[in-house]
Amino acid sequence: MKKFRHFGEVVLTAAVSAALLAGCGSSAAPAAGTESAKAAAVERTGETASGGQIGKEAAAGQTRLDKILAEGKITNVCEPYFAPYEFIDNTKSGQDQFRGADMELARYIAKDLGVELEIVPLEWSAVLTGVTEGKYDMACAGLGYTEERAKTMNLSDIYQQGSKQGLLIRAEDADKYKTFDDFKGKKVGFQSGTIQETLATQQLPESELVTYDLINNAVLALDAGKVDAVSVAIPNGEMFAKSNPKLAVFEGQYFERGKNGNCIGLPKGETALRDRINAIIAEVTEKGLYQQWLDEAVTEAKALGLDVN
């Protein structure tokens, strides 16, 4: 939190994640210290995570868009466990195995630019750091808009309006809670690095906040009575409640949202790339292509036996 994370939420097991990353030839996210060291190196030497020279490119007037067009490739980083936006079809191989509406949008962007698309699968925190540190060109990956993210990366126009955000609780506790005030002192879980974390932190300041690496681990903790609620996108909460009658969506109050929806994350300062992608998004929206891709992805994901958000 595609991933609502994406928005921001993902339902998977650690074993599946590890197997996928191994199968794709990608490594898991680098340790925080390692990424921090890379960031520090950028400050000291002007060398980007991909080996380019920031100073030389700026001096030559070369933007990231120029570099993408010159090299003939754009990289899209994602955590592909968020159907129907991004998921894996194990019957396919290589880049073809990455499916979903957002993967189709990424392919459309690459085709419009006349370049090759490279999809890079990582876990969610590495997706965020990979873009903010300039290691990858974009994250078309069920990335929900937040003011905090807008401070650390360029965000495109919204291409998919967001859903309501709120809490998942135990069904037996439904009568205990009327508003968010009733969660003061209660334990509220969420997946790290997602919109759900941001909303809970901002709007439940007197709750005891508990971080989990995966949303399904937070939900398991709720079911086991280790937390009192989990911050979720409402459609995801409804999905969890449907599969487990012991859980229920809290309907007394939802999180307040400003700008709400999915957008593409880009390295900070790359306004030329952002403007070009915004023009492509406008075209996609005008033609109704994204909804078409989304409908097709829902059908495909269900055929694979995947839960859709």
Side-chain angles (χ1 to χ4, degrees):
M1 111 247 42
K2 59 254 216 354
K3 128 259 200 19
F4 265 59
R5 183 157 106 222
H6 312 291
F7 359 157
E9 292 191 351
V10 184
V11 181
L12 74 162
T13 64
V16 171
S17 177
L20 170 64
L21 294 177
C24 294
S26 300
S27 60
T34 302
E35 292 297 326
S36 297
K38 290 180 180 178
V42 171
E43 287 292 324
R44 290 193 304 271
T45 67
E47 184 173 344
T48 67
S50 57
Q53 290 292 323
I54 293 175
K56 290 180 180 179
E57 289 181 6
Q62 185 182 38
T63 67
R64 182 174 288 263
L65 176 59
D66 294 329
K67 185 171 181 287
I68 289 168
L69 296 176
E71 295 183 352
K73 183 177 74 172
I74 187 170
T75 54
N76 182 58
V77 63
C78 66
E79 185 184 54
Y81 315 109
F82 191 51
Y85 306 100
E86 46 194 344
F87 56 94
I88 294 293
D89 182 349
N90 287 318
T91 68
K92 302 181 185 299
S93 61
Q95 294 285 297
D96 289 340
Q97 69 182 311
F98 301 110
R99 315 301 298 170
D102 282 16
M103 300 302 95
E104 293 308 306
L105 175 56
R107 290 184 174 104
Y108 190 92
I109 289 170
K111 183 177 180 180
D112 187 276
L113 295 176
V115 300
E116 173 190 353
L117 173 68
E118 180 184 358
I119 297 172
V120 182
L122 294 176
E123 61 90 19
W124 187 239
S125 63
V127 169
L128 299 178
T129 58
V131 173
T132 57
E133 295 180 2
K135 186 174 182 180
Y136 304 101
D137 298 318
M138 65 178 181
C140 183
L143 180 76
Y145 179 94
T146 69
E147 293 295 332
E148 289 71 23
R149 286 174 182 165
K151 294 175 183 177
T152 60
M153 62 178 77
N154 261 342
L155 297 178
S156 75
D157 292 339
I158 288 175
Y159 60 84
Q160 171 72 358
Q161 289 300 314
S163 59
K164 290 181 179 179
Q165 304 286 326
L167 297 175
L168 184 69
I169 60 175
R170 286 183 293 276
E172 65 185 32
D173 295 335
D175 293 337
K176 292 171 54 176
Y177 307 118
K178 302 301 180 184
T179 70
F180 282 169
D181 286 340
D182 296 323
F183 291 91
K184 292 179 179 179
K186 301 295 184 181
K187 292 183 178 180
V188 177
F190 45 74
Q191 180 181 352
S192 176
T194 63
I195 284 179
Q196 290 70 44
E197 175 180 14
T198 299
L199 293 174
T201 301
Q202 292 176 342
Q203 299 181 42
L204 297 173
E206 297 184 60
S207 297
E208 183 179 343
L209 304 179
V210 185
T211 303
Y212 291 89
D213 57 343
L214 301 173
I215 187 61
N216 63 319
N217 289 340
V219 173
L220 288 173
L222 174 64
D223 189 31
K226 296 180 180 179
V227 296
D228 301 294
V230 173
S231 178
V232 295
I234 295 303
N236 277 16
E238 292 171 343
M239 179 186 69
F240 285 123
K242 183 177 180 180
S243 62
N244 184 352
K246 293 168 61 179
L247 305 178
V249 170
F250 173 59
E251 298 180 347
Q253 187 175 350
Y254 299 114
F255 289 118
E256 295 180 5
R257 296 292 307 275
K259 193 173 181 180
N260 181 14
N262 279 6
C263 52
I264 296 174
L266 307 162
K268 197 72 172 175
E270 298 296 342
T271 55
L273 180 59
R274 181 201 62 199
D275 292 346
R276 182 70 180 271
I277 286 179
N278 280 344
I280 296 172
I281 289 174
E283 178 182 321
V284 166
T285 301
E286 181 180 357
K287 293 181 177 179
L289 293 176
Y290 189 81
Q291 188 59 51
Q292 177 184 321
W293 296 330
L294 191 60
D295 292 341
E296 292 171 351
V298 168
T299 300
E300 185 177 356
K302 287 183 176 179
L304 293 171
L306 301 175
D307 290 325
V308 296
N309 297 283

PDB file of all heavy atoms in Angstrom, residues 158-176:
ATOM      1  N   ILE A 158      -3.956  11.589 -11.735  1.00  0.00           N
ATOM      2  CA  ILE A 158      -4.643  10.371 -11.327  1.00  0.00           C
ATOM      3  C   ILE A 158      -5.289   9.706 -12.539  1.00  0.00           C
ATOM      4  O   ILE A 158      -5.942  10.366 -13.344  1.00  0.00           O
ATOM      5  CB  ILE A 158      -5.689  10.686 -10.244  1.00  0.00           C
ATOM      6  CG1 ILE A 158      -4.975  11.007  -8.924  1.00  0.00           C
ATOM      7  CG2 ILE A 158      -6.682   9.533 -10.068  1.00  0.00           C
ATOM      8  CD1 ILE A 158      -5.881  11.458  -7.815  1.00  0.00           C
ATOM      9  N   TYR A 159      -5.062   8.407 -12.666  1.00  0.00           N
ATOM     10  CA  TYR A 159      -5.663   7.663 -13.785  1.00  0.00           C
ATOM     11  C   TYR A 159      -6.757   6.705 -13.329  1.00  0.00           C
ATOM     12  O   TYR A 159      -7.488   6.164 -14.152  1.00  0.00           O
ATOM     13  CB  TYR A 159      -4.594   6.889 -14.561  1.00  0.00           C
ATOM     14  CG  TYR A 159      -3.826   5.873 -13.739  1.00  0.00           C
ATOM     15  CD1 TYR A 159      -4.326   4.598 -13.513  1.00  0.00           C
ATOM     16  CD2 TYR A 159      -2.583   6.189 -13.190  1.00  0.00           C
ATOM     17  CE1 TYR A 159      -3.624   3.665 -12.768  1.00  0.00           C
ATOM     18  CE2 TYR A 159      -1.876   5.280 -12.436  1.00  0.00           C
ATOM     19  CZ  TYR A 159      -2.395   4.017 -12.234  1.00  0.00           C
ATOM     20  OH  TYR A 159      -1.700   3.097 -11.474  1.00  0.00           O
ATOM     21  N   GLN A 160      -6.871   6.483 -12.009  1.00  0.00           N
ATOM     22  CA  GLN A 160      -7.914   5.620 -11.470  1.00  0.00           C
ATOM     23  C   GLN A 160      -8.353   6.182 -10.125  1.00  0.00           C
ATOM     24  O   GLN A 160      -7.551   6.303  -9.207  1.00  0.00           O
ATOM     25  CB  GLN A 160      -7.404   4.185 -11.290  1.00  0.00           C
ATOM     26  CG  GLN A 160      -8.335   3.243 -10.534  1.00  0.00           C
ATOM     27  CD  GLN A 160      -9.558   2.838 -11.343  1.00  0.00           C
ATOM     28  OE1 GLN A 160      -9.723   3.294 -12.469  1.00  0.00           O
ATOM     29  NE2 GLN A 160     -10.390   1.982 -10.799  1.00  0.00           N
ATOM     30  N   GLN A 161      -9.619   6.581 -10.030  1.00  0.00           N
ATOM     31  CA  GLN A 161     -10.119   7.164  -8.794  1.00  0.00           C
ATOM     32  C   GLN A 161     -10.060   6.141  -7.649  1.00  0.00           C
ATOM     33  O   GLN A 161     -10.315   4.951  -7.848  1.00  0.00           O
ATOM     34  CB  GLN A 161     -11.549   7.661  -8.979  1.00  0.00           C
ATOM     35  CG  GLN A 161     -11.648   8.894  -9.865  1.00  0.00           C
ATOM     36  CD  GLN A 161     -10.858  10.072  -9.300  1.00  0.00           C
ATOM     37  OE1 GLN A 161     -10.940  10.371  -8.115  1.00  0.00           O
ATOM     38  NE2 GLN A 161     -10.100  10.741 -10.166  1.00  0.00           N
ATOM     39  N   GLY A 162      -9.734   6.646  -6.467  1.00  0.00           N
ATOM     40  CA  GLY A 162      -9.540   5.769  -5.321  1.00  0.00           C
ATOM     41  C   GLY A 162     -10.830   5.368  -4.624  1.00  0.00           C
ATOM     42  O   GLY A 162     -11.888   5.952  -4.827  1.00  0.00           O
ATOM     43  N   SER A 163     -10.719   4.371  -3.767  1.00  0.00           N
ATOM     44  CA  SER A 163     -11.861   3.865  -3.009  1.00  0.00           C
ATOM     45  C   SER A 163     -11.846   4.448  -1.598  1.00  0.00           C
ATOM     46  O   SER A 163     -10.891   5.100  -1.179  1.00  0.00           O
ATOM     47  CB  SER A 163     -11.801   2.338  -2.936  1.00  0.00           C
ATOM     48  OG  SER A 163     -10.599   1.922  -2.311  1.00  0.00           O
ATOM     49  N   LYS A 164     -12.906   4.194  -0.866  1.00  0.00           N
ATOM     50  CA  LYS A 164     -12.957   4.616   0.529  1.00  0.00           C
ATOM     51  C   LYS A 164     -11.910   3.847   1.332  1.00  0.00           C
ATOM     52  O   LYS A 164     -11.571   2.705   1.019  1.00  0.00           O
ATOM     53  CB  LYS A 164     -14.350   4.336   1.110  1.00  0.00           C
ATOM     54  CG  LYS A 164     -15.462   5.219   0.559  1.00  0.00           C
ATOM     55  CD  LYS A 164     -16.790   4.867   1.228  1.00  0.00           C
ATOM     56  CE  LYS A 164     -17.911   5.763   0.712  1.00  0.00           C
ATOM     57  NZ  LYS A 164     -19.215   5.410   1.336  1.00  0.00           N
ATOM     58  N   GLN A 165     -11.430   4.499   2.377  1.00  0.00           N
ATOM     59  CA  GLN A 165     -10.434   3.903   3.263  1.00  0.00           C
ATOM     60  C   GLN A 165     -10.999   3.895   4.682  1.00  0.00           C
ATOM     61  O   GLN A 165     -11.611   4.869   5.115  1.00  0.00           O
ATOM     62  CB  GLN A 165      -9.139   4.706   3.222  1.00  0.00           C
ATOM     63  CG  GLN A 165      -8.545   4.882   1.839  1.00  0.00           C
ATOM     64  CD  GLN A 165      -7.896   3.642   1.303  1.00  0.00           C
ATOM     65  OE1 GLN A 165      -7.314   2.857   2.049  1.00  0.00           O
ATOM     66  NE2 GLN A 165      -7.990   3.438  -0.004  1.00  0.00           N
ATOM     67  N   GLY A 166     -10.779   2.804   5.401  1.00  0.00           N
ATOM     68  CA  GLY A 166     -11.325   2.724   6.760  1.00  0.00           C
ATOM     69  C   GLY A 166     -10.702   1.604   7.559  1.00  0.00           C
ATOM     70  O   GLY A 166      -9.507   1.306   7.393  1.00  0.00           O
ATOM     71  N   LEU A 167     -11.502   0.960   8.384  1.00  0.00           N
ATOM     72  CA  LEU A 167     -10.998  -0.053   9.303  1.00  0.00           C
ATOM     73  C   LEU A 167     -11.727  -1.385   9.143  1.00  0.00           C
ATOM     74  O   LEU A 167     -12.926  -1.424   8.867  1.00  0.00           O
ATOM     75  CB  LEU A 167     -11.135   0.418  10.748  1.00  0.00           C
ATOM     76  CG  LEU A 167     -10.337   1.657  11.146  1.00  0.00           C
ATOM     77  CD1 LEU A 167     -10.681   2.064  12.580  1.00  0.00           C
ATOM     78  CD2 LEU A 167      -8.833   1.411  11.014  1.00  0.00           C
ATOM     79  N   LEU A 168     -10.970  -2.434   9.337  1.00  0.00           N
ATOM     80  CA  LEU A 168     -11.512  -3.791   9.433  1.00  0.00           C
ATOM     81  C   LEU A 168     -11.450  -4.183  10.904  1.00  0.00           C
ATOM     82  O   LEU A 168     -10.432  -3.974  11.567  1.00  0.00           O
ATOM     83  CB  LEU A 168     -10.673  -4.748   8.591  1.00  0.00           C
ATOM     84  CG  LEU A 168     -11.159  -6.202   8.498  1.00  0.00           C
ATOM     85  CD1 LEU A 168     -12.456  -6.276   7.690  1.00  0.00           C
ATOM     86  CD2 LEU A 168     -10.083  -7.071   7.839  1.00  0.00           C
ATOM     87  N   ILE A 169     -12.536  -4.732  11.427  1.00  0.00           N
ATOM     88  CA  ILE A 169     -12.609  -5.115  12.839  1.00  0.00           C
ATOM     89  C   ILE A 169     -13.117  -6.554  12.957  1.00  0.00           C
ATOM     90  O   ILE A 169     -13.489  -7.168  11.954  1.00  0.00           O
ATOM     91  CB  ILE A 169     -13.539  -4.169  13.638  1.00  0.00           C
ATOM     92  CG1 ILE A 169     -14.964  -4.223  13.048  1.00  0.00           C
ATOM     93  CG2 ILE A 169     -12.992  -2.744  13.616  1.00  0.00           C
ATOM     94  CD1 ILE A 169     -15.991  -3.431  13.830  1.00  0.00           C
ATOM     95  N   ARG A 170     -13.148  -7.065  14.190  1.00  0.00           N
ATOM     96  CA  ARG A 170     -13.794  -8.359  14.421  1.00  0.00           C
ATOM     97  C   ARG A 170     -15.306  -8.140  14.481  1.00  0.00           C
ATOM     98  O   ARG A 170     -15.780  -7.182  15.113  1.00  0.00           O
ATOM     99  CB  ARG A 170     -13.280  -8.991  15.712  1.00  0.00           C
ATOM    100  CG  ARG A 170     -11.854  -9.547  15.599  1.00  0.00           C
ATOM    101  CD  ARG A 170     -11.414 -10.229  16.882  1.00  0.00           C
ATOM    102  NE  ARG A 170     -11.274  -9.266  17.976  1.00  0.00           N
ATOM    103  CZ  ARG A 170     -10.186  -8.536  18.189  1.00  0.00           C
ATOM    104  NH1 ARG A 170      -9.141  -8.655  17.373  1.00  0.00           N
ATOM    105  NH2 ARG A 170     -10.139  -7.683  19.187  1.00  0.00           N
ATOM    106  N   ALA A 171     -16.054  -9.021  13.850  1.00  0.00           N
ATOM    107  CA  ALA A 171     -17.507  -8.881  13.785  1.00  0.00           C
ATOM    108  C   ALA A 171     -18.124  -8.831  15.181  1.00  0.00           C
ATOM    109  O   ALA A 171     -19.093  -8.092  15.420  1.00  0.00           O
ATOM    110  CB  ALA A 171     -18.110 -10.027  12.973  1.00  0.00           C
ATOM    111  N   GLU A 172     -17.567  -9.551  16.127  1.00  0.00           N
ATOM    112  CA  GLU A 172     -18.109  -9.589  17.484  1.00  0.00           C
ATOM    113  C   GLU A 172     -17.961  -8.249  18.202  1.00  0.00           C
ATOM    114  O   GLU A 172     -18.638  -7.998  19.203  1.00  0.00           O
ATOM    115  CB  GLU A 172     -17.405 -10.690  18.298  1.00  0.00           C
ATOM    116  CG  GLU A 172     -15.927 -10.436  18.517  1.00  0.00           C
ATOM    117  CD  GLU A 172     -15.220 -11.575  19.219  1.00  0.00           C
ATOM    118  OE1 GLU A 172     -15.626 -12.739  19.019  1.00  0.00           O
ATOM    119  OE2 GLU A 172     -14.264 -11.306  19.983  1.00  0.00           O
ATOM    120  N   ASP A 173     -17.086  -7.373  17.681  1.00  0.00           N
ATOM    121  CA  ASP A 173     -16.856  -6.077  18.315  1.00  0.00           C
ATOM    122  C   ASP A 173     -17.628  -4.939  17.649  1.00  0.00           C
ATOM    123  O   ASP A 173     -17.456  -3.765  18.006  1.00  0.00           O
ATOM    124  CB  ASP A 173     -15.357  -5.729  18.280  1.00  0.00           C
ATOM    125  CG  ASP A 173     -14.521  -6.691  19.112  1.00  0.00           C
ATOM    126  OD1 ASP A 173     -15.075  -7.294  20.053  1.00  0.00           O
ATOM    127  OD2 ASP A 173     -13.322  -6.834  18.795  1.00  0.00           O
ATOM    128  N   ALA A 174     -18.464  -5.266  16.689  1.00  0.00           N
ATOM    129  CA  ALA A 174     -19.134  -4.230  15.896  1.00  0.00           C
ATOM    130  C   ALA A 174     -19.906  -3.240  16.755  1.00  0.00           C
ATOM    131  O   ALA A 174     -19.940  -2.040  16.462  1.00  0.00           O
ATOM    132  CB  ALA A 174     -20.050  -4.872  14.868  1.00  0.00           C
ATOM    133  N   ASP A 175     -20.544  -3.698  17.827  1.00  0.00           N
ATOM    134  CA  ASP A 175     -21.353  -2.814  18.666  1.00  0.00           C
ATOM    135  C   ASP A 175     -20.509  -1.936  19.598  1.00  0.00           C
ATOM    136  O   ASP A 175     -21.024  -0.984  20.190  1.00  0.00           O
ATOM    137  CB  ASP A 175     -22.341  -3.637  19.510  1.00  0.00           C
ATOM    138  CG  ASP A 175     -23.402  -4.316  18.649  1.00  0.00           C
ATOM    139  OD1 ASP A 175     -23.646  -3.826  17.531  1.00  0.00           O
ATOM    140  OD2 ASP A 175     -23.960  -5.335  19.083  1.00  0.00           O
ATOM    141  N   LYS A 176     -19.211  -2.232  19.696  1.00  0.00           N
ATOM    142  CA  LYS A 176     -18.347  -1.486  20.608  1.00  0.00           C
ATOM    143  C   LYS A 176     -17.909  -0.141  20.032  1.00  0.00           C
ATOM    144  O   LYS A 176     -17.563   0.776  20.770  1.00  0.00           O
ATOM    145  CB  LYS A 176     -17.093  -2.317  20.941  1.00  0.00           C
ATOM    146  CG  LYS A 176     -17.361  -3.553  21.777  1.00  0.00           C
ATOM    147  CD  LYS A 176     -16.122  -4.424  21.886  1.00  0.00           C
ATOM    148  CE  LYS A 176     -14.912  -3.682  22.400  1.00  0.00           C
ATOM    149  NZ  LYS A 176     -13.753  -4.589  22.581  1.00  0.00           N
TER     150      LYS A 176
END
